[in-house]
Amino acid sequence: MEQGGDWLNGFQIDSLMDKTLFHGMRRGEICAFLEYAKPTCVKLYEGQTLTAGKNYYNVLGLLVAGVVHVNSVDYDGTKTMLRAISAQGTSDMFYSSSDYQNRLIELSAFTDAEIMMFPPESVLEADESVLLVQHKVLVNMIQTQRELFHDIKKKVEVLSQRTVRDKILRFLHWCSEEERCYEFTVPFTREGLADFLAVDRASLSRSLSALKREGVIDFHRNKFRIITTEQFRY
């Protein structure tokens, strides 16, 4: 894990202009906000984890690059996958304390990832010197929350399916809609997908193999292709 990073570098600012948090903001406005907020920048390599505690207990996190999984960790060490966040998605933020009260949150890098973390007061406590910029960021934060609720709704739809097979089909239907394509890559290993669907890995493997034999889907590792689209009519 590495910390640091010069986010006032021109190339990196250009990449931030595509993020939902800074939507519609000019480069100078983003620079002004970063100079005021003084974010901590963290790089995680694939497989590394970061606990949102101590220095990262109460932060707003923005995923700038890569894919990370957000896990809830109980007192006995049991982990529950809450969501997968992609830097290419619209819900690319997390809130380490306000979203998950009384829980230990762990970020796990599915791929190499870069995360920007800044204190909530940099947005929520008005400062006249950057008031207009804060307002724009706050409006964009509301949009990211809408996207978060949309993701939660979709996950509830997946988990509400009665069988493992139906959970898989609903999840793949969701992925297909997101990508607008019948071929896509899911941001999970087999174990991670089993955790996300709240099923055991053996049941997941059996159901995936059955769907492949029936010609409904094809897959290799985390790359999937939908063959029989009639199965996705709900």
Side-chain angles (χ1 to χ4, degrees):
M1 181 177 70
E2 296 179 2
Q3 296 187 27
D6 180 10
W7 289 100
L8 298 183
N9 176 278
F11 173 78
Q12 292 175 319
I13 291 296
D14 287 344
S15 68
L16 292 179
M17 294 176 73
D18 294 330
K19 310 303 291 182
T20 305
L21 186 65
F22 299 117
H23 176 74
M25 295 176 63
R26 297 187 298 272
R27 179 180 300 186
E29 292 175 320
I30 298 174
C31 288
F33 177 73
L34 295 182
E35 288 177 338
Y36 171 72
K38 295 180 173 57
T40 298
C41 304
V42 178
K43 182 171 184 178
L44 294 178
Y45 296 100
E46 181 179 342
Q48 285 188 315
T49 60
L50 173 66
T51 300
K54 297 182 180 179
N55 295 336
Y56 306 116
Y57 174 69
N58 187 31
V59 297
L60 303 178
L62 173 65
L63 183 63
V64 178
V67 178
V68 299
H69 295 164
V70 181
N71 302 309
S72 171
V73 185
D74 293 337
Y75 293 110
D76 62 359
T78 302
K79 295 182 183 181
T80 302
M81 185 181 297
L82 301 173
R83 53 193 292 239
I85 306 177
S86 171
Q88 304 304 315
T90 51
S91 54
D92 48 15
M93 293 197 68
F94 69 90
Y95 305 83
S96 68
S97 65
S98 57
D99 280 2
Y100 312 111
Q101 299 258 346
N102 300 320
R103 289 176 178 264
L104 181 63
I105 300 302
E106 178 186 86
L107 304 179
S108 175
F110 185 73
T111 67
D112 290 353
E114 294 183 28
I115 306 168
M116 176 186 296
M117 299 184 181
F118 47 94
E121 56 268 22
S122 63
V123 179
L124 303 178
E125 295 181 6
D127 187 303
E128 291 186 0
S129 65
V130 287
L131 193 58
L132 180 59
V133 174
Q134 283 180 311
H135 174 73
K136 291 185 177 182
V137 172
L138 185 58
V139 169
N140 288 336
M141 277 181 60
I142 295 172
Q143 178 61 31
T144 68
Q145 285 293 284
R146 291 182 59 193
E147 297 296 337
L148 171 60
F149 293 143
H150 180 57
D151 285 352
I152 292 173
K153 175 179 178 292
K154 289 187 293 186
K155 183 170 183 179
V156 169
E157 289 177 357
V158 171
L159 296 182
S160 66
Q161 303 302 310
R162 291 182 176 272
T163 67
V164 176
R165 178 190 178 95
D166 286 341
K167 286 184 178 182
I168 294 170
L169 289 174
R170 192 67 189 91
F171 171 73
L172 295 179
H173 184 205
W174 168 22
C175 293
S176 178
E177 287 182 332
E178 289 289 308
E179 297 295 329
R180 299 182 181 274
C181 182
Y182 287 125
E183 295 188 36
F184 47 83
T185 300
V186 303
F188 300 110
T189 61
R190 280 291 179 274
E191 184 176 358
L193 181 57
D195 289 344
F196 185 79
L197 298 179
V199 301
D200 66 82
R201 185 171 176 176
S203 297
L204 174 67
S205 296
R206 285 196 298 270
S207 296
L208 285 173
S209 296
L211 288 168
K212 188 173 184 177
R213 286 196 306 271
E214 295 167 18
V216 178
I217 63 174
D218 192 17
F219 59 85
H220 177 67
R221 295 183 178 178
N222 63 335
K223 297 181 185 296
F224 284 80
R225 180 166 64 93
I226 308 304
I227 300 174
T228 308
T229 58
E230 287 80 3
Q231 294 281 343
F232 290 82
R233 294 175 181 171
Y234 283 83

